[in-house]
Amino acid sequence: MTTAPTSTSATGSASPAAPAAGIVPLLIGAGLPPFEAITPEQVRAHIPGLLAELEQDLTALERRLEADLAGGGLLSWQAVLDPLQRLEERLRWSWGVVSHLTGVCNSPELREAHAGQQAAVVAFGNRVGQSRVLYRALETLDHQHQSAAPGDAGLLDGAQQRILAAELRAMQLRGVGLEGEAQAAFNAASQELAELSTRFGNQVLDATNGWTLSLTSVEEIEGLPASLLEQLAQAARGAGLTAADGGEATAEAGPWLLGLDMPRYIPFLKYSRRRDLRERLYRAHVGRASGQGEGASAELNNWPLIERILSLRGDQARRLGYANWAEVSLAAKMADSEAAVEALLEELRAAALPVAERELEQLRACAARHGAPEAADLQPWDVSFWAEVLRQESFELDSEALRPYFPLPQVLEGLFALCGRLFDIQIRAADGEAPVWHPDVRFFRVLEGPGAGERAGQPIAAFYLDPYSRPGSKRGGAWMDECLGRSRAADGTPVLPVAYLICNQSPPVGDTPSLMTFEEVETLFHEFGHGLQHMLTTVERPQAAGINNVEWDAVELPSQFLENWCYDRATLLGMARHWQSGEPLPEAEFAKLLAARTFLGGAATLRQVHFALVDLRLHSQWHPGCGQSPEQLRREIAATTTVLAPIDEDAFLCSFGHIFAGGYAAGYYSYKWAEVLSADAFSAFEEVGLENEPRIRETGRRFRDTVLSLGGSLDPKAVFEAFRGRQPTSEALIRHSGLVAV
């Protein structure tokens, strides 16, 4: 393939120049993608040709390997894994751009093009994963290593052993051992699962976008803060709504357009004094993509998809020789058994449930003090509202009043300063030096810091930041993904890692920058932690660089670790300044944030335990003949993992994209598993003293040199022990969650 003109190399150079004449932008296969030059028509026209070319390359590789195997000589890594990685990277680059754009610039045309090619992409993945010749070659490499003496050519280093073991396991889980009808059925199910996953996510997006409520009277906006009114008015203008006098919508006079996207949904539930509207919004939100409820489309119904996905996964597991999909999932994770996961979740559930029950009583008492009629019958749509009232009463902490202290540019400055302090890196804005997919998107470069001596200022990596919500075309949530991974090009030059960092926070309004809630600050830190593991890796082998080959239940360690620094005095006060006056966040407000850190900590922990248990048991216990629906199983679990039972219309599973449209199937527990690791890791900094600057920097460098550097080249237990000097315990997490007294 032609090398992209937009490459990121050892020099860190990158240019947003258009591809050379005659080169299809989607097929460049290297460097930074020219996003705006990639069209749905290219997907339809050129993905088939790319797959055909890759099929030929795979066949040629198999023939070479067959000859090598027949010859009986030593196989080399360079003859097996390197060409396989290059082949897979060409598809990852092109199809990865398509998948990325469907997440951040979704359109009917792109969605159709993606769906039209997905089956062929899945089929090629199965073709690679089920290649008997490749599998025999990998087994031969493994046997050579096992029988090699020190110094022998067949001996593999630790990273190579991990990669090889993962490749063998992945091929086993892709059905390499299946034959005939069993393999055909496996492949057909793989195709269908991919299609169902995409459809599930699209229907959640459509259902979220399909519900709006126009508010036109001041009574309907009672209690709403100015920032939310600005957002709602901006949404009304975007929808073409006008005021009664024909003028455009304004924050002061309306109309205001309510929606189900998080930047509008969460603050409305938190601040609206109109209980009837809170209920209406809540019911619409929890009923998304269920085909029922106010304004719902019967076509956007994910219930049948859920049962079909779970059934197919169970079938796939049995074809592979496993009892259920949970066993398949755990085969490649740090947790070694379902029992180990259940044990951790039960430890957290037992600690959190009594705390959450007391918290609910506190909310009821708060509502009663204010004479609210709902005090005796608190419902889910009341919880956020009374929680905010109680938070303000208990800590005199007004979440909305803190927004002006967290404009996005300053938060970024603070985040970058922290990373410089801990990890000795420099982050520089490089807007205009790389192609982007939307005007909101920014581009940054990561350089070695001053402590690197002669290497100071040397490029290490780069990243894109797409911070704002775009409900019509961008899926909700926040995530990090790989644009480019650390590797070496065919000519040996380094390819530096580039990350996508995607958030969905409140956008700027007029001349006012994006003023972030504290929760949005935490989300940004979380995703940047993922980005750091991707960008600061020193592993040269791409299959184990960054987050690659890191067990799923350990991959959240850096992200959750970085969240802890939002509560560090030097970090927070270094970035929190009023966007207009420049005044720093008052010490008293910082003290309130610290005091409120574990506010409703029992409920928060219990919520995650509920999601994790539902996910695990759906994939280990549910099957079509079990006598109950997935939702009935969920409600059975809710009896011991919720303090307010789900309402009848609650169809949360229909929007549980993590497990039905993402990679978390039988793995949602990973958030809590990794939180044990991250809390314990942060406690290493607490132990040396958060104000002991030399020791903090020293500990930060050790974190960079282990957790952030080693990626998937070592077992996560070994990586953690290299940083911490021991294996993790849950003590720090229980303490940080405010459950220690239980």
Side-chain angles (χ1 to χ4, degrees):
M1 278 299 191
T2 306
T3 302
T6 53
S7 65
T8 302
S9 65
T11 63
S13 61
S15 165
I23 298 176
V24 177
L26 182 60
L27 300 184
I28 290 172
L32 300 176
F35 303 100
E36 293 187 336
I38 293 172
T39 65
E41 177 54 37
Q42 289 174 31
V43 178
R44 287 188 291 267
H46 296 291
I47 288 295
L50 173 63
L51 291 171
E53 187 178 335
L54 294 176
E55 178 80 31
Q56 292 175 353
D57 292 348
L58 177 60
T59 299
L61 174 60
E62 288 174 323
R63 286 174 180 155
R64 289 198 302 273
L65 292 176
E66 276 191 302
D68 291 343
L69 289 165
L74 274 179
L75 282 186
S76 70
W77 187 274
Q78 292 74 20
V80 184
L81 272 301
D82 285 349
L84 177 61
Q85 189 276 328
R86 286 194 293 270
L87 184 149
E88 292 178 329
E89 171 60 16
R90 287 173 61 195
L91 179 59
R92 188 212 66 82
W93 192 98
S94 294
W95 191 245
V97 175
V98 178
S99 299
H100 171 69
L101 290 176
T102 61
V104 295
C105 294
N106 200 292
S107 69
E109 296 78 16
L110 182 60
R111 183 183 296 188
E112 182 184 356
H114 178 271
Q117 300 304 319
Q118 186 171 46
V121 172
V122 172
F124 180 75
N126 285 338
R127 164 81 170 82
V128 175
Q130 294 168 358
S131 168
R132 295 292 182 87
V133 177
L134 271 177
Y135 190 73
R136 283 170 48 215
L138 294 174
E139 282 188 314
T140 301
L141 284 177
D142 187 44
H143 293 151
Q144 286 176 183
H145 170 74
Q146 300 299 336
S147 59
D152 284 359
L155 203 63
L156 304 176
D157 62 33
Q160 289 174 311
Q161 293 173 54
R162 283 259 303 166
I163 293 167
L164 182 56
E167 292 281 355
L168 285 165
R169 182 178 60 238
M171 292 189 75
Q172 291 159 5
L173 297 182
R174 292 289 283 272
V176 70
L178 301 177
E179 296 180 350
E181 290 183 6
Q183 189 173 83
F186 183 92
N187 290 345
S190 296
Q191 293 276 13
E192 188 177 352
L193 280 166
E195 293 163 6
L196 290 170
S197 174
T198 298
R199 187 174 155 203
F200 185 101
N202 285 338
Q203 292 190 169
V204 174
L205 179 63
D206 290 346
T208 302
N209 293 337
W211 188 95
T212 57
L213 179 63
S214 178
L215 308 177
T216 56
S217 69
V218 292
E219 291 80 15
E220 291 174 313
I221 61 165
E222 188 180 358
L224 302 187
S227 62
L228 179 57
L229 292 174
E230 289 282 4
Q231 279 193 71
L232 300 183
Q234 188 174 48
R237 291 192 294 271
L241 302 184
T242 57
D245 62 3
E248 74 169 14
T250 65
E252 296 76 20
W256 307 271
L257 190 64
L258 193 55
L260 299 180
D261 54 291
M262 290 302 179
R264 287 184 285 177
Y265 171 76
I266 290 176
F268 191 88
L269 282 190
K270 185 183 287 188
Y271 294 108
S272 173
R273 297 196 185 116
R274 284 287 298 267
R275 191 187 188 215
D276 59 330
L277 294 179
R278 295 202 310 266
E279 177 180 356
R280 195 170 166 187
L281 179 66
Y282 179 85
R283 288 183 185 276
H285 192 268
V286 297
R288 283 179 301 161
S290 67
Q292 298 176 341
E294 177 192 347
S297 166
E299 296 177 357
L300 301 178
N301 181 4
N302 277 343
W303 285 124
L305 275 62
I306 288 170
E307 293 209 9
R308 184 62 179 158
I309 289 170
L310 292 173
S311 298
L312 286 170
R313 286 174 179 164
D315 293 343
Q316 295 291 73
R318 287 182 286 277
R319 290 185 183 106
L320 294 171
Y322 293 89
N324 53 59
W325 190 259
E327 288 188 1
V328 175
S329 172
L330 292 172
K333 291 187 170 64
M334 186 177 176
D336 53 9
S337 69
E338 187 184 337
V341 176
E342 288 266 2
L344 171 65
L345 295 177
E346 175 55 25
E347 182 180 354
L348 296 175
R349 190 201 68 82
L353 181 60
V355 178
E357 290 172 336
R358 288 204 301 271
E359 291 166 349
L360 183 61
E361 288 306 314
Q362 290 168 353
L363 294 183
R364 288 186 176 126
C366 178
R369 286 196 302 274
H370 287 264
E374 63 261 32
D377 184 33
L378 213 63
Q379 294 294 326
W381 49 86
D382 301 318
V383 170
S384 292
F385 178 81
W386 290 109
E388 183 60 24
V389 173
L390 183 59
R391 185 200 307 269
Q392 292 192 33
E393 288 182 356
S394 302
F395 310 104
E396 296 181 347
L397 182 65
D398 182 349
S399 301
E400 197 63 24
L402 295 183
R403 275 187 189 265
Y405 291 95
F406 294 111
L408 175 62
Q410 283 174 197
V411 172
L412 289 175
E413 285 182 22
L415 172 59
F416 298 166
L418 171 69
C419 293
R421 176 186 172 212
L422 296 181
F423 311 127
D424 191 31
I425 59 175
Q426 305 171 63
I427 299 172
R428 300 282 183 266
D431 299 305
E433 297 180 23
V436 296
W437 55 91
H438 190 276
D440 289 344
V441 177
R442 299 197 61 194
F443 187 70
F444 295 87
R445 298 196 185 284
V446 183
L447 317 171
E448 287 284 8
E454 292 182 357
R455 292 182 294 108
Q458 180 176 316
I460 306 171
F463 64 93
Y464 288 98
L465 175 65
D466 186 350
Y468 309 130
S469 172
R470 294 189 295 275
S473 61
K474 183 179 176 183
R475 70 177 171 92
W479 66 93
M480 189 286 293
D481 204 355
E482 175 181 329
C483 176
L484 300 176
R486 184 181 179 94
S487 62
R488 288 191 177 272
D491 62 3
T493 58
V495 175
L496 301 183
V498 180
Y500 298 128
L501 296 170
I502 315 297
C503 295
N504 263 288
Q505 66 199 50
S506 310
V509 178
D511 295 330
T512 305
S514 175
L515 301 179
M516 303 171 70
T517 65
F518 187 69
E519 291 76 15
E520 288 172 340
V521 174
E522 289 180 295
T523 297
L524 176 62
F525 272 58
H526 178 102
E527 298 308 330
F528 203 76
H530 282 308
L532 287 170
Q533 187 171 34
H534 176 70
M535 295 186 289
L536 298 188
T537 187
T538 56
V539 179
E540 288 286 347
R541 302 191 185 281
Q543 303 97 321
I547 63 172
N548 291 330
N549 208 37
V550 177
E551 281 75 354
W552 198 275
D553 43 4
V555 82
E556 296 289 338
L557 163 55
S559 55
Q560 293 174 337
F561 163 81
L562 208 65
E563 283 186 59
N564 287 286
W565 292 95
C566 294
Y567 294 91
D568 172 56
R569 184 182 183 281
T571 303
L572 191 73
L573 296 183
M575 69 181 174
R577 297 189 308 279
H578 196 284
W579 75 280
Q580 290 170 307
S581 69
E583 289 294 314
L585 182 73
E587 285 276 1
E589 295 300 310
F590 171 62
K592 293 174 192 175
L593 273 175
L594 282 185
R597 182 178 186 181
T598 58
F599 180 66
L600 299 188
T605 298
L606 201 61
R607 181 174 182 268
Q608 291 297 95
V609 169
H610 174 71
F611 293 163
L613 274 176
V614 168
D615 167 42
L616 189 67
R617 292 181 186 169
L618 281 175
H619 288 98
S620 61
Q621 297 178 10
W622 188 87
H623 57 86
C626 70
Q628 60 181 172
S629 68
E631 178 60 13
Q632 287 170 328
L633 176 59
R634 181 226 168 176
R635 288 174 186 267
E636 184 180 282
I637 295 167
T640 58
T641 57
T642 62
V643 291
L644 278 179
I647 63 173
D648 290 345
E649 300 91 331
D650 189 329
F652 160 72
L653 289 181
C654 288
S655 59
F656 199 178
H658 279 78
I659 71 170
F660 295 118
Y664 280 86
Y668 194 88
Y669 78 89
S670 299
Y671 282 105
K672 301 312 290 184
W673 189 277
E675 208 173 340
V676 169
L677 306 178
S678 65
D680 201 342
F682 185 72
S683 68
F685 292 81
E686 294 176 316
E687 288 166 11
V688 301
L690 292 175
E691 295 183 359
N692 185 339
E693 195 61 20
R695 294 295 304 279
I696 288 294
R697 290 176 182 267
E698 173 190 316
T699 310
R701 300 302 184 277
R702 191 167 75 250
F703 189 85
R704 174 181 172 177
D705 292 341
T706 52
V707 176
L708 300 180
S709 171
L710 297 174
S713 67
L714 276 180
D715 182 286
K717 294 185 181 74
V719 174
F720 188 90
E721 190 159 341
F723 169 66
R724 198 71 174 96
R726 57 165 174 77
Q727 285 303 297
T729 73
S730 61
E731 181 276 326
L733 173 59
I734 290 175
R735 173 167 51 84
H736 288 172
S737 302
L739 311 178
V740 71
V742 177

